[in-house]
Short mmCIF file of all heavy atoms in Angstrom, two decimals:
data_model
loop_
_atom_site.label_atom_id
_atom_site.label_comp_id
_atom_site.label_asym_id
_atom_site.label_seq_id
_atom_site.Cartn_x
_atom_site.Cartn_y
_atom_site.Cartn_z
N ARG A 226 87.93 90.77 138.03
CA ARG A 226 87.48 92.04 137.48
C ARG A 226 87.94 93.22 138.33
O ARG A 226 88.30 94.29 137.82
CB ARG A 226 85.94 92.07 137.36
CG ARG A 226 85.34 93.36 136.83
CD ARG A 226 85.62 93.58 135.35
NE ARG A 226 85.07 94.87 134.89
CZ ARG A 226 85.10 95.29 133.65
NH1 ARG A 226 85.62 94.54 132.71
NH2 ARG A 226 84.59 96.45 133.33
N ASP A 282 81.36 91.72 122.90
CA ASP A 282 81.08 93.17 122.99
C ASP A 282 79.67 93.52 122.58
O ASP A 282 79.20 93.07 121.51
CB ASP A 282 82.05 93.96 122.09
CG ASP A 282 83.47 93.96 122.62
OD1 ASP A 282 83.66 93.65 123.81
OD2 ASP A 282 84.36 94.42 121.89
N MET A 284 79.20 96.95 122.97
CA MET A 284 79.75 98.25 122.51
C MET A 284 81.16 98.29 123.07
O MET A 284 81.56 97.55 123.96
CB MET A 284 78.94 99.40 123.04
CG MET A 284 78.66 99.37 124.52
SD MET A 284 77.43 100.57 125.07
CE MET A 284 77.26 100.07 126.76
N ARG A 285 81.98 99.20 122.51
CA ARG A 285 83.36 99.29 122.97
C ARG A 285 83.87 100.70 122.73
O ARG A 285 83.72 101.21 121.63
CB ARG A 285 84.24 98.28 122.31
CG ARG A 285 85.74 98.36 122.68
CD ARG A 285 86.55 97.25 122.09
NE ARG A 285 86.39 96.00 122.82
CZ ARG A 285 87.27 95.53 123.75
NH1 ARG A 285 88.35 96.21 123.98
NH2 ARG A 285 87.05 94.42 124.37
N HIS A 286 84.43 101.33 123.75
CA HIS A 286 85.24 102.55 123.59
C HIS A 286 86.19 102.64 124.74
O HIS A 286 86.03 101.92 125.76
CB HIS A 286 84.37 103.80 123.47
CG HIS A 286 83.73 104.21 124.80
ND1 HIS A 286 82.46 103.82 125.14
CD2 HIS A 286 84.20 104.96 125.82
CE1 HIS A 286 82.16 104.33 126.35
NE2 HIS A 286 83.20 105.01 126.78
N GLU A 287 87.18 103.49 124.66
CA GLU A 287 88.20 103.66 125.71
C GLU A 287 88.99 104.97 125.43
O GLU A 287 88.99 105.44 124.27
CB GLU A 287 89.14 102.47 125.77
CG GLU A 287 89.85 102.17 124.46
CD GLU A 287 90.37 100.74 124.42
OE1 GLU A 287 90.64 100.18 125.49
OE2 GLU A 287 90.53 100.18 123.32
N PRO A 288 89.67 105.51 126.42
CA PRO A 288 90.48 106.69 126.21
C PRO A 288 91.70 106.39 125.37
O PRO A 288 92.18 105.23 125.36
CB PRO A 288 90.83 107.15 127.60
CG PRO A 288 90.79 105.94 128.41
CD PRO A 288 89.71 105.12 127.84
N ALA A 289 92.25 107.42 124.73
CA ALA A 289 93.48 107.22 123.98
C ALA A 289 94.67 107.05 124.88
O ALA A 289 94.73 107.72 125.96
CB ALA A 289 93.67 108.42 123.05
N MET A 290 95.61 106.24 124.54
CA MET A 290 96.82 106.07 125.30
C MET A 290 97.70 107.34 125.16
O MET A 290 97.68 107.97 124.09
CB MET A 290 97.60 104.84 124.76
CG MET A 290 98.89 104.55 125.51
SD MET A 290 99.74 103.06 124.88
CE MET A 290 100.40 103.73 123.37
N PRO A 291 98.39 107.70 126.23
CA PRO A 291 99.30 108.88 126.08
C PRO A 291 100.30 108.69 124.96
O PRO A 291 100.77 107.57 124.72
CB PRO A 291 99.97 108.93 127.44
CG PRO A 291 99.06 108.22 128.41
CD PRO A 291 98.39 107.15 127.57
N HIS A 386 91.12 97.73 138.97
CA HIS A 386 90.07 97.32 138.06
C HIS A 386 90.71 96.79 136.76
O HIS A 386 91.49 97.47 136.14
CB HIS A 386 89.12 98.53 137.72
CG HIS A 386 88.36 99.05 138.88
ND1 HIS A 386 87.19 98.49 139.28
CD2 HIS A 386 88.64 100.09 139.71
CE1 HIS A 386 86.74 99.19 140.33
NE2 HIS A 386 87.58 100.13 140.62
N PHE A 387 90.34 95.57 136.41
CA PHE A 387 90.84 94.95 135.17
C PHE A 387 89.78 95.00 134.12
O PHE A 387 88.68 94.43 134.30
CB PHE A 387 91.32 93.53 135.50
CG PHE A 387 92.46 93.48 136.43
CD1 PHE A 387 92.31 93.11 137.76
CD2 PHE A 387 93.77 93.83 136.02
CE1 PHE A 387 93.36 93.08 138.65
CE2 PHE A 387 94.85 93.80 136.92
CZ PHE A 387 94.62 93.43 138.21
N LEU A 388 90.08 95.70 133.04
CA LEU A 388 89.07 96.02 132.02
C LEU A 388 89.19 95.20 130.79
O LEU A 388 88.26 95.17 129.96
CB LEU A 388 89.17 97.49 131.68
CG LEU A 388 89.32 98.46 132.88
CD1 LEU A 388 89.46 99.89 132.41
CD2 LEU A 388 88.06 98.31 133.78
N ASP A 389 90.25 94.50 130.59
CA ASP A 389 90.48 93.63 129.47
C ASP A 389 91.58 92.61 129.85
O ASP A 389 92.33 92.91 130.80
CB ASP A 389 90.94 94.40 128.22
CG ASP A 389 90.09 94.17 126.98
OD1 ASP A 389 89.53 93.05 126.88
OD2 ASP A 389 90.00 95.08 126.16
N ARG A 390 91.70 91.56 129.20
CA ARG A 390 92.78 90.62 129.47
C ARG A 390 94.13 91.26 129.17
O ARG A 390 94.22 92.08 128.21
CB ARG A 390 92.59 89.32 128.72
CG ARG A 390 91.51 88.43 129.30
CD ARG A 390 91.60 87.02 128.79
NE ARG A 390 91.00 86.09 129.73
CZ ARG A 390 91.11 84.77 129.64
NH1 ARG A 390 91.84 84.24 128.72
NH2 ARG A 390 90.52 83.99 130.60
N ASP A 416 96.45 104.40 135.12
CA ASP A 416 95.94 103.57 134.04
C ASP A 416 97.05 102.68 133.50
O ASP A 416 98.22 103.01 133.55
CB ASP A 416 95.42 104.44 132.89
CG ASP A 416 94.34 105.46 133.33
OD1 ASP A 416 93.35 105.00 133.88
OD2 ASP A 416 94.57 106.64 133.14
N VAL A 417 96.66 101.55 132.96
CA VAL A 417 97.55 100.60 132.32
C VAL A 417 97.09 100.31 130.92
O VAL A 417 95.95 99.89 130.72
CB VAL A 417 97.63 99.27 133.13
CG1 VAL A 417 98.67 98.34 132.51
CG2 VAL A 417 98.01 99.54 134.62
N PHE A 418 98.00 100.55 129.95
CA PHE A 418 97.69 100.37 128.52
C PHE A 418 98.62 99.34 127.91
O PHE A 418 99.79 99.22 128.30
CB PHE A 418 97.88 101.68 127.77
CG PHE A 418 96.94 102.84 128.10
CD1 PHE A 418 97.25 103.71 129.11
CD2 PHE A 418 95.77 102.99 127.37
CE1 PHE A 418 96.41 104.77 129.44
CE2 PHE A 418 94.91 104.05 127.69
CZ PHE A 418 95.22 104.94 128.72
N THR A 419 98.09 98.65 126.92
CA THR A 419 98.98 97.80 126.08
C THR A 419 99.70 98.67 125.12
O THR A 419 99.29 99.84 124.87
CB THR A 419 98.14 96.74 125.33
OG1 THR A 419 97.19 97.42 124.49
CG2 THR A 419 97.37 95.78 126.29
N ALA A 420 100.73 98.13 124.48
CA ALA A 420 101.55 98.93 123.53
C ALA A 420 100.69 99.35 122.29
O ALA A 420 100.96 100.35 121.64
CB ALA A 420 102.76 98.16 123.06
N ASP A 421 99.61 98.59 121.99
CA ASP A 421 98.77 98.98 120.88
C ASP A 421 97.56 99.86 121.29
O ASP A 421 96.65 100.07 120.53
CB ASP A 421 98.25 97.74 120.09
CG ASP A 421 97.41 96.81 120.97
OD1 ASP A 421 97.20 97.11 122.15
OD2 ASP A 421 96.95 95.76 120.42
N GLY A 422 97.59 100.32 122.57
CA GLY A 422 96.62 101.35 122.97
C GLY A 422 95.40 100.91 123.70
O GLY A 422 94.52 101.72 123.98
N ARG A 423 95.23 99.64 124.05
CA ARG A 423 94.12 99.18 124.81
C ARG A 423 94.25 99.53 126.29
O ARG A 423 95.31 99.25 126.87
CB ARG A 423 93.90 97.67 124.64
CG ARG A 423 93.37 97.22 123.32
CD ARG A 423 93.06 95.74 123.29
NE ARG A 423 94.24 94.95 123.63
CZ ARG A 423 94.30 94.12 124.70
NH1 ARG A 423 93.28 94.03 125.49
NH2 ARG A 423 95.38 93.41 124.91
N LEU A 424 93.21 100.05 126.89
CA LEU A 424 93.20 100.29 128.34
C LEU A 424 92.80 98.99 129.01
O LEU A 424 91.70 98.51 128.87
CB LEU A 424 92.22 101.41 128.69
CG LEU A 424 92.05 101.72 130.15
CD1 LEU A 424 93.33 102.32 130.73
CD2 LEU A 424 90.89 102.65 130.44
N VAL A 425 93.76 98.37 129.75
CA VAL A 425 93.49 97.04 130.33
C VAL A 425 93.26 97.08 131.86
O VAL A 425 92.75 96.14 132.38
CB VAL A 425 94.62 96.03 129.97
CG1 VAL A 425 94.59 95.72 128.48
CG2 VAL A 425 95.98 96.56 130.38
N ALA A 426 93.65 98.17 132.50
CA ALA A 426 93.48 98.23 133.96
C ALA A 426 93.53 99.66 134.38
O ALA A 426 94.12 100.55 133.76
CB ALA A 426 94.54 97.44 134.69
N THR A 427 92.86 99.95 135.56
CA THR A 427 93.02 101.20 136.23
C THR A 427 93.28 100.91 137.68
O THR A 427 93.00 99.80 138.17
CB THR A 427 91.76 102.12 136.11
OG1 THR A 427 90.67 101.46 136.78
CG2 THR A 427 91.38 102.35 134.67
#
Side-chain angles (χ1 to χ4, degrees):
R226 178 71 182 184
D282 285 349
M284 51 191 172
R285 177 174 282 260
H286 72 265
E287 57 199 334
M290 182 177 75
H386 294 277
F387 295 104
L388 312 177
D389 235 330
R390 284 197 155 191
D416 304 302
V417 183
F418 294 89
T419 61
D421 62 359
R423 287 186 302 118
L424 178 65
V425 291
T427 64

